[in-house]
Amino acid sequence: MERRKFIKHLVGSSVAPYFLGGLPLSGFGQVNETALGDDKVLVVIQLAGGNDGLNTAVPIDQYANYQRARANIALAENRLLKIPQSESLGLHPSLSGMTQLFEEGKASLIQDVGYPDPDFSHFRSTDIWNTASDSDKHILSGWAGRYLASENPDYPNSYPNSDHPDPLSIQIGSVLNTSLQGPVYPMGMAISDPNFFYELLTEEPAQTPVSIAEKELAFLRQMAQQTNQYASTIKAAASKVNSQGTYPDSYLANQLKVVARLIAGGLRTKFYFVQIGGFDTHDNQALNSDSTKGEHAELLAELSDSVLAFIRDLEGLGVSERVLTMTYSEFGRRIKSNASYGTDHGAAAPMFLFGDFVNSKVFGENPILPANAREDDNVPMQYDFRSVYASILERWFCVDTTSVNEVMLQSFQSLPLIQGAPCGFITANETVKEKLHFKAFPNPCDQYTNLEFYTEGGLNHILVFNSSGQQIVQPLSKILPIGLYTEQINTSSWSPGLYYIRWQNKDKQKIVKVAKR
């Protein structure tokens, strides 16, 4: 077996290959500081299981439709937490810590993030989010891994070295996130859990296990040697931090505490991935006696309290300007709740960003909820999740547009997620809701509907989604001069029901709801 094929198969499996002193050997990368520019860090929090976006951020302006669709789990309007970025949005009462960050201008929310033709399988949808593939394509490499590999083309030869001693990325958890898989090699290392991290500070890594595959063993011994060297740099970085802020006693908080310590200790790692599970809330999502309590409330409280403690710790350690934190989940939940006081697999849901340089606003409009939601109704995509990734590469890691498109495999909408300082973008922190001209008429429609929109010029996209969130047609994808346009869509073949039409121009987009008679 060829060495590359062996390693690729080994690290791409669903289990970590083996452990070295608590460190699963999943492949290692290294920072190329010249190529990456500065010392910016991205911390990614995976909300595994599919977070219910509608009970995370409630559309107050459509509260009657929300309450009607979720009578058994709807949050009382007077219990919702208000944020200065939006008068029409209320956060779950468990998100008090994150609400503080919104009040301080250190948090932003991106509405209805997903992708066309969503897959409702946990495994497949997670794979799509991690690889940044289209839903009908299978890609073996991850979005972050491709970026790191493009900046380190000689990896893994001579890594680490005296100039670049630190791991390129770190996963807290026994299985390396697929996002960190490069085209050939994984570009990160996994620390099995926070307890093993603290054991590492006092113990030496174990030796490489015996194998009958001579060439593969030689390579794994090389990786084991790298593990020992990386362990030394991790221990050195951790030893520089003598005290940290107070964290809640939770699994997510313990992971983030380790990350803060390594960042403050001077480790030049660019990506950290952590995880909190349990968001597959098919039942008992909320209590019958009090919808603000239950499984979902506990998960959101752990997330919120952990993030606040992490941000406060970074501030106290003097490294908060270096760090951007992002949440994601493989999908959202259906609009209508089920009879088990839960929600079933859905489509789009909000993402959160935290940090000193976030453009602290609510991106997009509240999801459009039907007056009488059906069991299979979904929140349609407003933002493609790959636009978020691409914008972070462009506006946080300062990657040029051509390289971003190569890493992301195609071009995506650039969003002003970051305030100007890191990469020199001039970004206005708008607090006034933008008025976009996009309407459909006649509505309801029979044989056709007209779409009228005003474009600022450049590329314009129009997508049509059914009520389940599936893309059914793309009637427009064209570069247009500045001006007012009308596009007619033939709706004669559409089945009666609700449809959502999304228009995008540059960093702006809007969705209108159209009824077919």
Side-chain angles (χ1 to χ4, degrees):
M1 179 185 296
E2 293 180 4
R3 186 171 67 181
R4 287 194 173 196
K5 291 183 179 179
F6 172 80
I7 296 298
K8 184 175 181 180
H9 172 75
L10 180 65
V11 301
S13 64
S14 60
V15 296
Y18 55 88
F19 293 82
L20 296 177
L23 293 178
L25 177 59
S26 300
F28 306 91
Q30 175 55 48
V31 175
N32 181 329
E33 292 180 19
T34 301
L36 292 180
D38 56 22
D39 60 351
K40 294 295 184 288
V41 176
L42 177 65
V43 178
V44 181
I45 304 175
Q46 180 183 2
L47 313 181
N51 179 43
D52 179 16
L54 282 178
N55 265 29
T56 300
V58 179
I60 298 174
D61 58 344
Q62 297 175 73
Y63 186 81
N65 290 348
Y66 159 80
Q67 202 280 334
R68 191 178 299 111
R70 301 178 155 223
N72 58 350
I73 65 167
L75 301 167
E77 186 174 357
N78 62 2
R79 301 288 299 276
L80 299 175
L81 301 178
K82 303 298 179 61
I83 57 175
Q85 289 79 1
S86 175
E87 297 178 354
S88 62
L89 191 69
L91 299 186
H92 192 288
S94 293
L95 298 178
S96 58
M98 285 165 48
T99 299
Q100 291 183 47
L101 297 177
F102 275 100
E103 293 171 347
E104 297 169 10
K106 295 184 177 182
S108 62
L109 182 152
I110 311 167
Q111 288 277 30
D112 307 342
V113 186
Y115 55 91
D117 298 320
D119 192 297
F120 302 126
S121 160
H122 290 292
F123 299 105
R124 177 60 187 143
S125 192
T126 299
D127 185 61
I128 290 168
W129 275 78
N130 290 345
T131 63
S133 69
D134 291 337
S135 61
D136 61 347
K137 294 181 174 63
H138 292 262
I139 298 174
L140 297 179
S141 60
W143 71 276
R146 291 193 297 272
Y147 163 59
L148 297 175
S150 71
E151 298 293 334
N152 296 269
D154 294 331
Y155 170 83
N157 296 326
S158 302
Y159 284 82
N161 53 57
S162 59
D163 292 329
H164 310 298
D166 303 332
L168 182 56
S169 62
I170 291 177
Q171 164 83 49
I172 307 296
S174 58
V175 179
L176 197 70
N177 191 293
T178 315
S179 300
L180 299 172
Q181 172 66 42
V184 178
Y185 303 103
M187 305 302 291
M189 63 180 295
I191 297 175
S192 59
D193 64 43
N195 291 329
F196 280 126
F197 166 76
Y198 293 109
E199 291 178 11
L200 173 66
L201 302 186
T202 57
E203 297 180 2
E204 292 296 327
Q207 297 299 312
T208 309
V210 176
S211 169
I212 60 173
E214 181 177 351
K215 292 182 179 180
E216 285 69 35
L217 176 61
F219 181 72
L220 290 179
R221 281 175 172 163
Q222 176 191 0
M223 302 300 280
Q225 183 178 8
Q226 291 178 350
T227 304
N228 293 346
Q229 292 173 298
Y230 283 133
S232 298
T233 62
I234 290 173
K235 291 163 71 173
S239 66
K240 295 177 183 178
V241 179
N242 297 319
S243 63
Q244 291 185 255
T246 301
Y247 284 77
D249 184 16
S250 69
Y251 183 59
L252 178 61
N254 291 335
Q255 294 175 73
L256 291 173
K257 186 176 182 179
V258 170
V259 172
R261 184 170 179 177
L262 294 178
I263 294 172
L267 211 63
R268 307 290 287 190
T269 299
K270 305 301 294 185
F271 289 82
Y272 293 87
F273 277 71
V274 299
Q275 183 187 90
I276 172 175
F279 284 91
D280 193 20
T281 51
H282 287 282
D283 53 24
N284 299 316
Q285 175 175 319
L287 298 183
N288 183 25
S289 58
D290 185 350
S291 62
T292 65
K293 298 179 181 179
E295 293 179 5
H296 194 230
E298 293 172 1
L299 289 167
L300 292 181
E302 179 176 350
L303 170 66
S304 180
D305 296 345
S306 299
V307 167
L308 180 63
F310 178 60
I311 297 299
R312 293 289 182 257
D313 196 17
L314 295 175
E315 293 169 346
L317 293 167
V319 294
S320 61
E321 291 189 350
R322 292 180 52 202
V323 184
L324 176 68
T325 302
M326 176 185 81
T327 70
Y328 83 100
S329 193
E330 66 263 37
F331 44 63
R333 318 296 289 187
R334 302 284 174 88
I335 293 175
K336 188 176 179 64
S337 60
N338 60 38
S340 300
Y341 295 92
T343 50
D344 298 322
H345 297 183
M351 293 178 68
F352 292 94
L353 293 176
F354 308 98
D356 289 2
F357 287 108
V358 298
N359 188 11
S360 187
K361 60 184 289 187
V362 173
F363 288 86
E365 300 178 345
N366 285 343
I368 302 172
L369 304 183
N372 295 286
R374 301 175 306 176
E375 291 184 356
D376 60 347
D377 280 346
N378 266 308
V379 173
M381 179 197 87
Q382 187 172 169
Y383 291 94
D384 194 306
F385 75 93
R386 293 165 292 185
S387 291
V388 178
Y389 295 169
S391 301
I392 288 173
L393 291 176
E394 177 187 44
R395 296 170 183 259
W396 184 244
F397 289 120
C398 309
V399 182
D400 65 86
T401 302
T402 299
S403 298
V404 170
N405 294 344
E406 291 175 355
V407 168
M408 299 305 300
L409 308 177
Q410 55 183 297
S411 175
F412 289 99
Q413 180 184 18
S414 178
L415 305 173
L417 303 178
I418 308 298
Q419 296 280 20
C423 300
F425 285 90
I426 300 175
T427 304
N429 186 7
E430 297 288 349
T431 57
V432 179
K433 180 185 264 189
E434 296 178 272
K435 301 295 184 183
L436 302 180
H437 182 74
F438 180 55
K439 64 180 182 180
F441 60 93
N443 186 11
C445 63
D446 289 313
Q447 300 301 308
Y448 68 91
T449 188
N450 295 305
L451 303 177
E452 183 178 276
F453 57 94
Y454 182 86
T455 175
E456 296 179 352
L459 189 60
N460 289 257
H461 294 288
I462 294 179
L463 301 175
V464 181
F465 300 93
N466 61 21
S467 61
S468 296
Q470 302 288 336
Q471 178 182 325
I472 64 170
V473 67
Q474 182 176 2
L476 179 70
S477 182
K478 184 187 298 185
I479 295 176
L480 298 172
I482 296 173
L484 184 67
Y485 293 85
T486 300
E487 184 79 13
Q488 187 173 96
I489 301 179
N490 186 338
T491 62
S492 60
S493 63
W494 296 7
S495 301
L498 290 178
Y499 295 84
Y500 300 89
I501 305 179
R502 178 184 185 269
W503 164 67
Q504 174 190 317
N505 175 223
K506 296 183 178 178
D507 64 348
K508 299 178 177 63
Q509 70 288 310
K510 187 175 178 65
I511 291 179
V512 295
K513 180 173 63 176
V514 174
K516 169 64 190 302
R517 285 192 283 245

